[in-house]
Each structure stands twice: as C-alpha cells, then as structure tokens.
Amino acid sequence: MTTLDELRGALGPRIEEDLGRGPASVAGLFPAAGRRYGHSPLTDGWTADEAARAVLLSAVSPDEIAEVYRYGDTAEKLAVLKALPLLPIGAEAVPLLEDALRTNDTRLVTAALGPYSDHLGQEAWRQAVLKCVFMGVPLKAVHRLTERADDELGAMLRAFAHERHAAGRDMPPDALALLALKEA
Amino acid sequence: MRIFDPHIHMTSRTTDDYQRMAEAGVKAIVEPAFWLGQPRTGPGSFTDYFDSLIGWEPFRASQFGIKHHATIALNPKEANDPRCRPVLDLLPRYLAKDGVVAVGEIGYDSMTPAEDEVFAAQLSLALDHDLPAMVHTPHRDKARGTQRSLDVVKESGIDPGRVLLDHLNEVTVAAARDAGVWAGFSIYPDTKMSPDRMVTILREYGPERVLVNSAADWGKSDPLLTLRTAEAMLAAGFDEDDVDRVLWRNPVEFYSQSGRLDLTDVEAGPTFAGNSILRGGS
C-alpha cells in the first residue's frame, strides 16, 4: 500500500510549506486542497488533492480528523475515508465509517469499505455489504470480501435473492457470484 | 436550449422535479441557503442544512445530469433570532468549500437592527473569502428595502459587479441597474414576477446583467418557469442568443467570479461542443 511518505514526496515543496504552517491551519487548508493542488492523478491511484488531504491529516489529532470529516463536503469526506488506513490512529475513526455507511451516497458507502473497514465489526460489515448489493455498489470495492464473507452473510444474501426473485427482480451478478461461492 | 437556474431550493423539491427540469434543458443550478417554512432554533440545524447543500443535494442532482452549486449564509429572517446567531461563527468553514459560489441569501426581511448587523457582517465575509454576494430583497416594503440594501452594499466596499440583487420587480429594477449590480428576477406562478412581465422588463432594460430564476421552494412555485420565460422571450421576438445569454451565460458569468463554478461535466455534451462559456465565448 502507498505510504504517507510516498505521497508527501510526490507532492513536493508545496505540502512542506503547508505542513509548516502548523496543525491549526489544517482546518482551512483541507477544504481548499482541490483548488490548491488540483485534481490530476499524482501517484498509484491518488489524485493530488486526495494525497495532500491525507498528508494534512497526518499532522492533526484524531479529534481534529473527526472534525474535518464532520464539516467536510463529499470530496473532503471521501478523502478522509481514503486516508484512514495510512494514518496512525488504530480503530479510533470507526465512527466515521459508521457515519458514511448511514448515508445514501454510493460514493461514501463505497469508500467506507476500503482497507480501514478491517476495523469494522463483523455485524456492521455484513450490513454494509448487503447495503452495497441493495444500492447497486459493485462488490469489487469491498476490501477482503471473500475472506470476510461468512455463513451469516451467505444467509442474508440468500434471503435477499429470494425477495428479489419473488418480486421478479434480478440480483446483481457479483452478489450471485458471492452467494455461489458461499454455497459451493 | 440550455438553462442555468441561478436560484432554486431543491431541498424542498422531489425527484420528479429533477426529472422534469433535466428534460426541459436545466443543466446547472445554484441552491442558496435560506429559511425553511419552520423556523430553526439553533446553529446545529443550520449546519446539517448546509451539509446537505454541499453533500446530499449535489449527489441527488448529479443523478439527473444536473450540476449543483450552493450559496451559504445566515438568512435575514433568522438573523433576528439570537438562538441562531452563533451560526455566523461557523460560516467560514462552509465558505471555504469548492461547491460554494457566493455568500447568500443575505439582505433584509423586516429591516431590523439585527438584520443590518448580520447583512454587513456577511458582506464582509464575502470580501474575506473572495466570493460574490447574493442579496435577497424583502417582500414587504420592497422599494425601501431595495434602496437600503444597495446602500449597505455600497458601504461595504464590495464591487457592485460581484453582487446579485434578487427578487426584483418593475418598481425596483431601475435602482439595481443604476447601482451596477446584477439584477435577479424570480418567476413565480402568481406573485413575484411572471414570464410575460419579465419579457416587458427585458424589452425595456435589455438582457445584460439580468438573471432569471424559478426560486422554487416549499411554497407554491414551479421549477419550469425558467423554461416558460425562455419561451415567452422567443414568442416576443427575442432571438436564441438573447435567451442563451439570460438563461445560461449571465448566471455562468456571475457565479464564475467565485473561481469555483465547475461546469466540466455538463458542458462536455455534444450540443455545446466548442461553445464553452468558461472561455467567455457565446
């Protein structure tokens, strides 16, 4: 996985200058990152603004990360969720995943199921996967999907497939594939 | 025909409206922060509302191919409630967002001292954040309210070319033109302004610096009155370029002054190829 140091190196002197302003300035710099760093691809699946936001978060406390997320627009929230697995915060930011999973924005739900979702309890994780199937979010976005999919998730998917079948509606092919895997 | 509705409260509208707007040619909208039918009682209910204007509502709009931006402010009516005032301290957080293209709606409701203070404070926030200002004119005592709004704008030092004075009518349009601000007209089914009256005003004052909006909200209103005004303009002999100016290029030009208006997605369509307004072309 990409590290914070790699992102920092790729961003060059501007991020050093921004970090030099101290943690108190992150609340102001974070929302402006798109305008300040642009949206172009930077390195290994990260755009410049996403990378800058990740590095800025590394300068603040978990409480401030939660604050940045709370007042963030969608792009900022997505950047926080993407940065979480890189930050030395343990499981402290799980409430942010839970917030994202309560939304009906497919982008936030998808982002909540990245590598940091390893910290999400199994019950919440199963509900999140089922929510993806329900919302049409491709399951390939779910981190360690086949590894974590247990019998209980299999039973939930089977019941959902039954409901869809009764309504004459299709199941997404990736959900059927996961179900087949659980029933093999 | 492409339509930019520069003032519409989509929070109060259904997906049926989004569908009909998209079919009518509405490709971009600005949703100003304003009051709801039910008065708020504290800053938390404002911030949840602001979050919706920069989060959920743009997502809803995007599902219909419509680009959504917002303006953020403490509205004049609720500026009178001391329980709501602390939201002023939270505004800078929101005025820093990419999707926020102006400070608004600010201005007057009942022209109280509290409204004076909050109006001036927010014009100053517009200057601090390098944003245009979107000013609501009051529904009661409108002529005096408009003049007083223009006085406050002048006093603030903001460039009048970065101010949109909205909900104008036959009585208030001249003062706005003379002051050099942009003139906004809200076309309503029965009240503020109708398509035919709008055409008469356009005949007299021309299409420069004029914005037409539906201001559709939780009251009796119609999000397609922008299209109806365009049709009325064509029927009255205005050409398609005039219509495009009033219903697309003018709002684009006004809100582009924020440096944050992003129409990349909606201008990429084949209909407008080679006609990018962000380049200033026509």
Side-chain angles (χ1 to χ4, degrees):
Chain A
M1 195 166 44
T2 312
T3 64
L4 283 170
D5 284 343
E6 282 165 8
L7 296 179
R8 195 166 163 171
L11 285 163
R14 176 168 289 182
I15 193 71
E16 300 307 324
E17 192 186 306
D18 282 354
L19 287 170
R21 299 178 189 203
S25 61
V26 168
L29 291 167
F30 198 85
R35 307 192 287 279
R36 200 162 156 71
Y37 290 86
H39 306 281
S40 305
L42 181 74
T43 175
D44 200 21
W46 290 77
T47 60
D49 54 333
E50 288 169 343
R53 283 174 168 156
V55 175
L56 288 170
L57 289 180
S58 71
V60 300
S61 69
D63 282 351
E64 180 59 21
I65 292 171
E67 191 79 348
V68 165
Y69 179 87
R70 189 263 164 266
Y71 286 106
D73 63 17
T74 309
E76 291 173 77
K77 286 188 159 84
L78 290 171
V80 173
L81 295 170
K82 186 167 179 164
L84 291 180
L86 275 52
L87 301 169
I89 50 169
E92 275 201 66
V94 166
L96 306 190
L97 294 195
E98 291 167 344
D99 179 273
L101 290 169
R102 277 192 293 271
T103 71
N104 278 309
D105 188 322
T106 45
R107 296 164 299 176
L108 289 166
V109 171
T110 305
L113 290 169
Y116 194 78
S117 65
D118 277 345
H119 295 288
L120 203 59
Q122 189 66 6
E123 227 166 273
W125 183 83
R126 282 189 215 110
Q127 287 291 338
V129 174
L130 197 63
K131 182 164 180 168
C132 286
V133 177
F134 186 80
M135 296 177 90
V137 169
L139 293 180
K140 66 173 173 10
V142 179
H143 180 65
R144 292 205 301 119
L145 175 69
T146 51
E147 210 177 311
R148 276 188 88 171
D150 54 12
D151 290 344
E152 178 60 21
L153 180 63
M156 290 159 77
L157 284 171
R158 205 158 31 248
F160 187 62
H162 178 66
E163 226 182 293
R164 281 271 167 111
H165 179 74
R169 298 177 62 198
D170 290 332
M171 279 283 274
D174 56 1
L176 283 175
L178 182 63
L179 191 54
L181 192 73
K182 285 317 298 170
E183 291 179 338
Chain B
M1 189 184 300
R2 53 183 181 172
I3 296 174
F4 187 132
D5 193 336
H7 181 157
I8 183 163
H9 301 284
M10 292 312 296
T11 307
S12 307
R13 311 300 305 192
T14 65
T15 47
D16 286 359
D17 286 329
Y18 270 125
Q19 185 68 42
R20 290 160 62 229
M21 287 161 66
E23 284 164 9
V26 177
K27 296 183 180 304
I29 53 180
V30 168
E31 177 157 9
F34 210 48
W35 57 64
L36 303 172
Q38 177 70 38
R40 300 180 180 91
T41 57
S45 96
F46 278 92
T47 52
D48 286 344
Y49 172 66
F50 296 157
D51 292 334
S52 189
L53 298 189
I54 60 168
W56 176 239
E57 209 54 51
F59 178 68
R60 267 192 353 132
S62 71
Q63 292 172 320
F64 298 87
I66 295 175
K67 186 69 188 183
H68 180 291
H69 292 84
T71 77
I72 295 286
L74 169 58
N75 65 75
K77 187 183 290 198
E78 289 171 313
N80 291 304
D81 186 336
R83 295 172 300 174
C84 296
R85 283 283 283 275
V87 77
L88 282 178
D89 297 332
L90 294 166
L91 292 179
R93 285 229 182 225
Y94 290 94
L95 298 179
K97 304 302 181 193
D98 284 338
V100 174
V101 291
V103 175
E105 298 177 50
I106 52 177
Y108 285 119
D109 178 50
S110 305
M111 291 187 271
T112 63
E115 290 174 30
D116 281 329
E117 206 177 297
V118 171
F119 186 7
Q122 294 187 102
L123 282 170
S124 154
L125 281 175
L127 286 165
D128 291 349
H129 289 80
D130 205 16
L131 284 171
M134 204 266 209
V135 180
H136 159 102
T137 52
H139 303 311
R140 305 172 305 276
D141 207 1
K142 195 176 197 72
R144 281 207 310 147
T146 301
Q147 194 48 58
R148 188 148 150 195
S149 301
L150 288 168
D151 292 344
V152 175
V153 162
K154 192 171 179 190
E155 203 172 303
S156 76
I158 192 171
D159 172 359
R162 292 170 66 83
V163 173
L164 167 59
L165 201 60
D166 214 341
H167 313 314
L168 295 174
N169 60 24
E170 290 85 351
V171 175
T172 54
V173 56
R177 303 298 279 182
D178 292 347
V181 299
W182 292 69
F185 296 87
S186 301
I187 316 299
Y188 257 39
D190 306 315
T191 52
K192 295 186 177 99
M193 176 59 53
S194 72
D196 290 337
R197 285 163 58 202
M198 189 65 230
V199 165
T200 306
I201 288 175
L202 282 164
R203 276 215 183 100
E204 186 170 349
Y205 293 91
E208 291 84 22
R209 290 199 173 188
V210 169
L211 272 64
V212 164
N213 61 70
S214 73
D217 58 11
W218 34 261
K220 191 177 174 195
S221 47
D222 179 352
L224 297 193
L225 286 179
T226 47
L227 173 63
R228 300 291 166 252
T229 304
E231 290 166 349
M233 284 177 72
L234 291 172
F238 283 98
D239 63 20
E240 288 187 8
D241 187 65
D242 292 328
V243 171
D244 190 64
R245 177 199 281 249
V246 172
L247 286 147
W248 186 267
R249 280 151 32 212
N250 282 353
V252 167
E253 197 185 324
F254 177 73
Y255 286 118
S256 286
Q257 297 182 92
S258 67
R260 304 186 199 170
L261 193 73
D262 178 8
L263 298 174
T264 325
D265 299 342
V266 292
E267 287 195 325
T271 321
F272 312 118
N275 192 19
S276 167
I277 291 315
L278 294 179
R279 290 200 312 265
S282 56

